[in-house]
Amino acid sequence: MFFKTMKKSLLFIFAAVLLSSCSSYQKLLRSDDSAKKYTAADSLYKAGKYKKALALMEQIVPAYRGKPQAEPLMFRYANTFYNLEDFYLSGYQFERFVISYPKSDSVEIASYRSAKSYYELSPRYSLDQKDTYTALEKLQGFVDKFPNSEYRPNANAMVTELKEKLEKKDYETANQFLRISDYKAAIESFENFILDHPGSKYRQQAFYGRMEASYLLAINSVPYLVQERLNQTKKYYQSFLKYFKEGELKQDADEILQDVEKRLSQYNTEN
């Protein structure tokens, strides 16, 4: 019985303290005391209570613009968005911080987190990649500006990941044209892929895909174009063979070539 009573008393005291704390916070939000809000926002930020800190910061940021306290405040303001995973705003606010305080000791980490914010916004490869291109630009800018930064390995790793995402996007786009039998578009897309991504892990598939699309275009063409397009397929086969003589798709490429040769032999017989 004693412990039950004690437990109820503690819960009552905790609830009272909590209500008092909430009441004080709400009262502070409604006040005009920027100094108290600055101190409270700093304490809440350090305690990891980012949403409450943010509400106070948003009220006092205009009041401290141009003052000595503005620099740490604006960094915490940007970092609060970052910690809340609001990456659109953290990227933007960190950029503003770097522009406003170029000599700050926090410029390097602000630049890194701005770039990383854009990286976080990059969508899966099947969607529009506008944010991915922006992230690559920001990350490359960071690496160029801070070549000896401790964050450089992470930035380079993100750049590699984003480039691979763009490669996959372009490769799958070409493949999609092949699947829907738009062979001309597939050939053009595979050719662009080969030019744009010389070191890609999809390079062999792209060379093979170009040849396959050319072959399918040829055998589905009107009669007077078939021979010319079969000969073009042979040229694509030679390009494939030049780089992937021992490749895993060599056998498939050979099978296409055999059929091409068989079809072309008919033209030679007729001639």
Side-chain angles (χ1 to χ4, degrees):
M1 185 69 180
F2 171 77
F3 289 110
K4 284 186 178 180
T5 304
M6 178 66 74
K7 187 177 180 180
K8 287 182 179 179
S9 299
L10 289 172
L11 287 172
F12 177 78
I13 292 170
F14 176 75
V17 170
L18 185 63
L19 287 170
S20 174
S21 174
C22 291
S23 176
S24 298
Y25 176 75
Q26 292 300 326
K27 192 181 294 183
L28 183 59
L29 278 175
R30 293 191 295 269
S31 79
D32 296 323
D33 195 328
S34 295
K36 283 186 178 179
K37 288 181 179 181
Y38 185 99
T39 302
D42 185 43
S43 297
L44 289 166
Y45 172 85
K46 289 176 179 176
K49 297 179 180 179
Y50 300 116
K51 288 185 178 180
K52 283 189 170 184
L54 181 60
L56 291 170
M57 288 179 192
E58 287 176 334
Q59 291 184 349
I60 62 175
V61 161
Y64 280 93
R65 196 163 284 134
K67 297 181 179 179
Q69 300 97 321
E71 181 184 324
L73 174 61
M74 294 309 296
F75 181 85
R76 289 194 296 268
Y77 186 52
N79 208 42
T80 297
F81 287 118
Y82 184 82
N83 287 321
L84 290 173
E85 298 184 357
D86 188 341
F87 295 116
Y88 274 111
L89 285 175
S90 66
Y92 171 71
Q93 291 297 338
F94 275 126
E95 275 188 317
R96 285 189 62 190
F97 178 87
V98 170
I99 293 169
S100 300
Y101 306 100
K103 296 183 180 180
S104 171
D105 292 338
S106 301
V107 162
E108 181 181 329
I109 190 170
S111 298
Y112 171 73
R113 289 185 180 171
S114 176
K116 191 171 187 293
S117 294
Y118 288 105
Y119 159 82
E120 296 289 352
L121 293 171
S122 174
R124 63 180 183 271
Y125 79 91
S126 58
L127 299 177
D128 181 80
Q129 295 300 304
K130 179 181 177 182
D131 287 328
T132 301
Y133 284 107
T134 301
L136 278 170
E137 180 186 341
K138 302 298 182 184
L139 285 164
Q140 193 59 57
F142 170 79
V143 169
D144 292 342
K145 188 175 181 180
F146 302 99
N148 300 315
S149 172
E150 64 178 295
Y151 304 109
R152 179 171 180 165
N154 289 342
N156 285 334
M158 285 186 276
V159 166
T160 299
E161 181 185 334
L162 294 177
K163 284 184 176 179
E164 287 180 355
K165 184 185 293 188
L166 293 177
E167 287 175 11
K168 188 172 184 179
K169 170 78 172 178
D170 289 347
Y171 173 72
E172 289 297 337
T173 297
N175 239 358
Q176 180 63 20
F177 285 127
L178 186 59
R179 284 194 291 268
I180 64 174
S181 303
D182 190 345
Y183 302 126
K184 287 184 179 180
I187 293 168
E188 183 180 356
S189 293
F190 280 125
E191 286 186 337
N192 289 336
F193 181 91
I194 290 166
L195 290 171
D196 294 340
H197 307 290
S200 172
K201 63 181 180 180
Y202 301 106
R203 188 169 172 80
Q204 181 179 177
Q205 289 93 324
F207 271 85
Y208 176 80
R210 181 178 64 174
M211 182 184 64
E212 183 183 14
S214 176
Y215 165 71
L216 292 171
L217 176 65
I219 65 175
N220 288 284
S221 295
V222 292
Y224 76 93
L225 288 174
V226 173
Q227 185 179 14
E228 177 188 344
R229 288 175 173 174
L230 287 173
N231 281 318
Q232 181 61 53
T233 302
K234 284 184 67 174
K235 291 180 181 178
Y236 287 144
Y237 172 82
Q238 292 302 323
S239 293
F240 174 88
L241 199 64
K242 179 180 178 181
Y243 296 103
F244 306 104
K245 193 172 184 178
E246 306 297 330
E248 59 186 20
L249 295 173
K250 170 69 163 49
Q251 184 176 342
D252 295 330
D254 287 344
E255 289 176 4
I256 290 177
L257 180 67
Q258 287 173 13
D259 191 63
V260 168
E261 296 283 17
K262 181 180 177 181
R263 290 172 185 270
L264 285 173
S265 67
Q266 295 173 1
Y267 289 94
N268 294 333
T269 302
E270 291 171 5
N271 289 336

